[in-house]
Amino acid sequence: IREKMWGILRQRGIDGGGLSLRRTRSALVSARSYAAGSKEMTVRDALNSAIDEEMSADPKVFVMGEEVGQYQGAYKITKGLLEKYGPERVYDTPITEAGFTGIGVGAAYAGLKPVVEFMTFNFSMQAIDHIINSAAKSNYMSAGQINVPIVFRGPNGAAAGVGAQHSQCYAAWYASVPGLKVLAPYSAEDARGLLKAAIRDPDPVVFLENELLYGESFPISEEALDSSFCLPIGKAKIEREGKDVTIVTFSKMVGFALKAAEKLAEEGISAEVINLRSIRPLDRETINASVRKTSRLVTVEEGFPQHGVCAEICASVVEESFSYLDAPVERIAGADVPMPYAANLERLALPQVEDIVRAAKRACYRSK
Amino acid sequence: MALSRLSLRSTTFLKPSSLRRHVSTDTTPITIETAAPFTSHQCDPPSRSVETSSAEILSFFRDMARMRRMEIAADSLYKSKLIRGFCHLYDGQEALAVGMEAAITKKDAIITSYRDHCTFLGRGGELVDAFSELMGRMRGCSNGKGGSMHFYKKDACFYGGHGIVGAQIPLGCGLAFAQKYSKEENVSFVLYGDGAANQGQLFEALNIAALWDLPAILVCENNHYGMGTATWRSAKSPAYFKRGDYVPGLKVDGMDVLAVKQACKFAKEHALKNGPIILEMDTYRYHGHSMSDPGSTYRTRDEVSGVRQVRDPIERVRKLLLSHDIATEKELKDMEKEVRKEVDDAVAQAKESPVPEASELFTNMYVKDCGVESFGADRKELKVTLA
């Protein structure tokens, strides 16, 4: 009977007489709704200013990584810090991730606050034992004696044309580990607030940036520019309010989801876009509250689809909000292949705006 | 009347008992030669003459006897299934833990591998906390959440207790980094075995330690077997004290507690001035790699009993105490009886102590929980919001 019902619903969808869809356009909410500040800031500058301010405020904070000092940072995130704070606060390391990450964790055991940069998170695999076994689990294994106030940061996920070994997204891997906190900023405000929170946090934080977002500018409020500004860890942000379908994602895909929401709005579908900001802890409350409002879920991530962040979100929603769902949950993720180099194949390997739009329409029982 | 005694290896000098000092408190300096010389690499070795005192040598005996008793008791507890999982025993290697402590302070840091029970004791850990942890009780030094491989004592700068072979080496260099960063005049002793000595991360960390002049002392506890693999089968160059290349090294008789003390004292002075140094301690473990290893598939019983007869660290100190007339046989036997009782009492106390509450499953995940949720096996049955 259920299949039949869905068949009927789908039919209605095609006919355009949708049962539960509202045709009224949602009030135009700016995709980037910030306080009325006219200032803009790139994500790069946001990260740089966050590290700068935290180093200024706390002498225990230091930066360590490949090319972070003299080279000014492989992606210029640590630009100017060596000149400002000197070689006793900014350390250029040899290309030895296992070694310097372990040293960073040991320094954190002793009470310092290292900010360890991985040139990309692909290289973190060389040091992953230290992130997980030496950092994440220590507070638990020592029953609270040894806490690890360290931040592991760097670009994560696909860049442009860098191939299979340089394009993996590690959000799902790190976020599965109890004892870690995993953050993924999208906007400049996210970058500032979350990085400052991460550096101040007494627990190990994996901070997943995105290379392609570094150069993007975002409006930034006076509040966000203040040196005491901090965002809470574990709270997602509703970037755009909507009524018909919930789109949940993080990092660069937030921008794609917002574009998809614009396209959907043109077709009378009001999408709510949630920017996770925090992968672990995952803000299940905000996600579920939204799905209970819209009855439909589309999750989006760049990373590999199997056992991904989207899988966890879908499971959470099916477990906690089953009776509210009017459609199967949808996952849009990177293709289940190592990242190819050729531009056309790379495009096929990553979620595009049209994929998100299509999934949202499927959830609304609208075919193309 | 204080007598200074030099190089008294062969002299027997019996003093009438009425004139003998109360030995356990006699701190008059005496000098004793180590049994074997030090071999050095890229540095001048320290002198073989070790400054010590009667009180100190007696304390060595007592501390090593206590460690020995603890490990033997752990063996029984494991066999009666009160200790589960992995249990790596240190008996035979006691001189290392005790000699090191004699040369350093509780502000110097120590980090080691999973063979950490005696190191914990050396840092001031209590027997009852050790046994409780081994038996998974709340009273344990890690509230029962760590187990044999994860003892810690942060207030004495003992940073564990690590299960991943070699991981403690970069961590220990990080401790040294923090000491230098904070401008403390302290050093970090980073202990690892002959098995871990081949780990790449050792060389990565040593490179950085040498580049940045970190006060890190890498101590290779060469007990000649990495689990079941002898050094000659795992290392092309088993001269571990030389493997640092540009980093100076010292080879030490790790069964001679005075040699260990001298080497650690020398290393601390060196590290504070010149950066990292490697100490290779020639030692031996009587037990197998762990309680699951009889220790006989890769070495002969004769070898083990041979070492016990000729090189046992406790017997050597007993001979020293007797030959220097610092204590009588009976006094030493009584001391051993006291230590045995101490250990038995601690075991009994630990056996009585309760297991952790079920709620402890979810504690200490984070310092700052920020409303994180955590789940049991059935998430609909057991779900917790960490406060």
Side-chain angles (χ1 to χ4, degrees), chain A residues 32 156-159 169 184-187 190 208-210 212-213 216 218 239 247-261 272-277 279 298-303 309-310 331-335 339 346-347 349-357:
Chain A
R32 295 167 184 179
N156 173 62
C169 173
Y186 162 61
S187 63
D190 287 356
L208 303 171
E209 301 160 5
N210 185 292
L212 299 175
L213 284 177
E216 257 194 62
F218 292 82
E239 294 282 351
I247 307 178
V248 185
T249 186
F250 61 96
S251 187
K252 183 150 168 294
M253 292 291 117
V254 175
F256 280 34
L258 289 169
K259 290 202 182 91
E272 179 148 292
V273 176
I274 298 182
N275 169 9
L276 283 174
R277 282 180 164 176
I279 319 293
V298 174
T299 57
V300 187
E301 66 180 317
E302 257 192 9
V309 176
C310 292
R331 285 188 292 171
I332 294 295
M339 184 65 66
E346 187 180 57
R347 196 179 185 285
L350 289 167
Q352 304 300 333
V353 176
E354 57 256 32
D355 295 309
I356 305 174
V357 170

Side-chain angles (χ1 to χ4, degrees), chain A residues 4-253:
Chain A
K4 236 178 155 183
M5 262 180 67
W6 282 11
I8 292 169
L9 282 171
R10 211 173 281 126
Q11 278 271 336
R12 287 206 169 163
I14 290 170
D15 292 345
L19 276 170
S20 53
L21 298 172
R22 274 166 248 146
R23 293 302 189 104
T24 54
R25 291 209 168 177
S26 50
L28 245 181
V29 178
S30 162
R32 295 167 184 179
S33 50
Y34 300 98
S38 55
K39 276 208 166 128
E40 287 219 331
M41 195 180 220
T42 60
V43 170
R44 175 179 286 113
D45 289 342
L47 294 167
N48 183 278
S49 63
I51 302 173
D52 190 346
E53 286 163 21
E54 294 306 306
M55 285 180 77
S56 174
D58 188 347
K60 293 194 167 159
V61 176
F62 69 94
V63 172
M64 185 162 72
E66 293 154 12
E67 313 301 345
V68 295
Q70 215 176 70
Y71 195 90
Q72 305 297 317
Y75 298 99
K76 305 290 175 275
I77 307 301
T78 52
K79 184 169 183 203
L81 295 178
L82 176 63
E83 287 68 33
K84 183 166 178 184
Y85 293 101
E88 308 220 321
R89 303 285 299 282
V90 180
Y91 291 83
D92 280 323
T93 64
I95 308 174
T96 51
E97 275 77 6
F100 72 71
T101 306
I103 286 178
V105 176
Y109 281 2
L112 297 185
K113 293 188 172 175
V115 178
V116 175
E117 177 174 302
F118 290 116
M119 200 181 280
T120 75
F121 263 92
N122 301 284
F123 315 138
S124 73
M125 291 199 288
Q126 311 224 286
I128 200 166
D129 177 62
H130 282 297
I131 299 173
I132 304 204
N133 280 322
S134 305
K137 299 178 183 172
S138 280
N139 200 52
Y140 192 85
M141 287 194 296
S142 69
Q145 274 190 75
I146 314 277
N147 73 304
V148 192
I150 193 167
V151 176
F152 304 104
R153 52 155 293 274
N156 173 62
V162 292
Q165 293 179 342
H166 290 76
S167 304
Q168 193 165 329
C169 173
Y170 292 87
W173 284 23
Y174 289 124
S176 71
V177 180
L180 280 183
K181 290 174 179 167
V182 180
L183 302 177
Y186 162 61
S187 63
E189 178 175 300
D190 287 356
R192 265 185 66 77
L194 292 176
L195 188 51
K196 285 161 83 65
I199 294 172
R200 293 181 202 178
D201 199 279
D203 296 307
V205 181
V206 170
F207 194 83
L208 303 171
E209 301 160 5
N210 185 292
E211 194 216 309
L212 299 175
L213 284 177
Y214 283 153
E216 257 194 62
S217 267
F218 292 82
I220 192 141
S221 65
E222 281 306 312
E223 191 205 349
L225 286 170
D226 189 77
S227 66
S228 64
F229 178 65
C230 224
L231 283 173
I233 292 178
K235 285 270 158 289
K237 180 182 180 202
I238 299 178
E239 294 282 351
R240 178 188 175 119
E241 282 187 18
K243 299 183 185 96
D244 298 328
V245 59
T246 300
I247 307 178
V248 185
T249 186
F250 61 96
S251 187
K252 183 150 168 294
M253 292 291 117

Side-chain angles (χ1 to χ4, degrees), chain B residues 241-256:
Chain B
F241 70 111
K242 290 186 184 170
R243 297 267 292 268
D245 185 16
Y246 41 80
V247 172
L250 201 66
K251 186 163 169 158
V252 184
D253 178 0
M255 305 296 255
D256 178 351

